[in-house]
Amino acid sequence: MTRAALTAVLLAALPAGLALSAGPARAAPEDAVPACAAPQAPEFAGGKGFRLWVTRQGTMTWNNPLRPLSPEALQVLQVVIRNKLATAYGPDLSGLRRGPSPAALEAQNGAPIRWSEALEGLPAALRILSEDDGQVLAELAFKACGDPPKVAMPKPAPVARGTAKGRAAAKKDVKADPKVEAASASAADPSAEAPKAASKPAPRAPKPRRERAPDAPARTPGGLMLPQGAIP
């Protein structure tokens, strides 16, 4: 029996409907989130009306202090929850942990997030795990593609007055005051009229001093006449 005939016999012995595939197995279409056209994003929802939108996907490589010689790769999802940015991260997308904003996560782990150009391979359900024991806290199912809510811009942190930025901000605030601007313009303009000094009253002429009258001659007791020449 030739090789071709032997191959034909073996193929005929296989059960009907069994197909041979030379490529890797792929997830079923119903198990993956469909691609959403920008600016829409996949929306996931859970119990008690909790919802989030996945807007970006990326990876982060960081050094675990317990295993410094084995860097760990994390899958990171940027999500929008109640008009605020947050993250969900983990070794893979089958179990994720809650995280802060992307900037805070980068500062926390000391590593940048490398964002992908598009969302790929999102599962139909996101499982959020606890940080301590890995128990499932929530399971969010994909609902539809939709417009994510606008993200509220965080308030800028107060700047100390002693720094260069603080001095620049203080100078900007002073210039914004119209009274200060008017005073600065008057001081810078040399042709501005100086305020007239209030007129002072003329000094009064000193009063003439009264001359003291000469002492009157001593009087003698009544009825006593001194002879002429008695007083030298």
Side-chain angles (χ1 to χ4, degrees), residues 28-224:
E30 60 271 11
D31 294 337
V33 172
C36 299
Q40 292 187 339
E43 176 188 353
F44 292 82
K48 299 181 180 180
F50 181 79
R51 297 187 300 169
L52 63 79
W53 287 260
V54 179
T55 54
R56 283 202 294 181
Q57 180 180 1
T59 59
M60 169 186 287
T61 302
W62 70 294
N63 295 321
N64 190 338
L66 301 178
R67 293 185 295 271
L69 299 180
S70 302
E72 295 185 7
L74 296 177
Q75 297 288 328
V76 182
L77 299 180
Q78 176 180 283
V79 299
V80 179
I81 305 174
R82 298 188 183 94
N83 301 89
K84 294 182 180 181
L85 284 180
T87 54
Y89 65 94
D92 50 56
L93 299 179
S94 62
L96 302 170
R97 286 172 170 79
R98 298 174 297 179
S101 65
L105 184 64
E106 290 179 335
Q108 176 180 326
N109 294 329
I113 301 174
R114 295 176 176 85
W115 299 108
S116 304
E117 295 182 358
L119 300 175
E120 295 180 357
L122 290 180
L126 299 179
R127 294 193 304 166
I128 307 301
L129 309 179
S130 65
E131 192 71 28
D132 300 330
D133 51 7
Q135 295 293 328
V136 178
L137 297 178
E139 187 166 350
L140 310 176
F142 171 73
K143 293 299 182 182
C145 293
D147 296 327
K150 294 182 179 180
V151 177
M153 297 300 294
K155 295 183 179 180
V159 182
R161 292 290 183 178
T163 61
K165 292 184 179 179
R167 289 191 294 269
K171 186 181 296 184
K172 184 177 180 180
D173 294 341
V174 170
K175 288 183 178 180
D177 191 349
K179 295 182 180 180
V180 176
E181 289 182 355
S184 301
S186 300
D189 188 3
S191 61
E193 295 183 357
K196 297 182 180 180
S199 57
K200 297 181 180 180
R204 296 182 180 180
K207 295 182 180 180
R209 298 179 61 184
R210 295 182 180 180
E211 296 182 0
R212 187 176 180 183
D215 297 338
R219 300 181 61 183
T220 58
L224 179 61

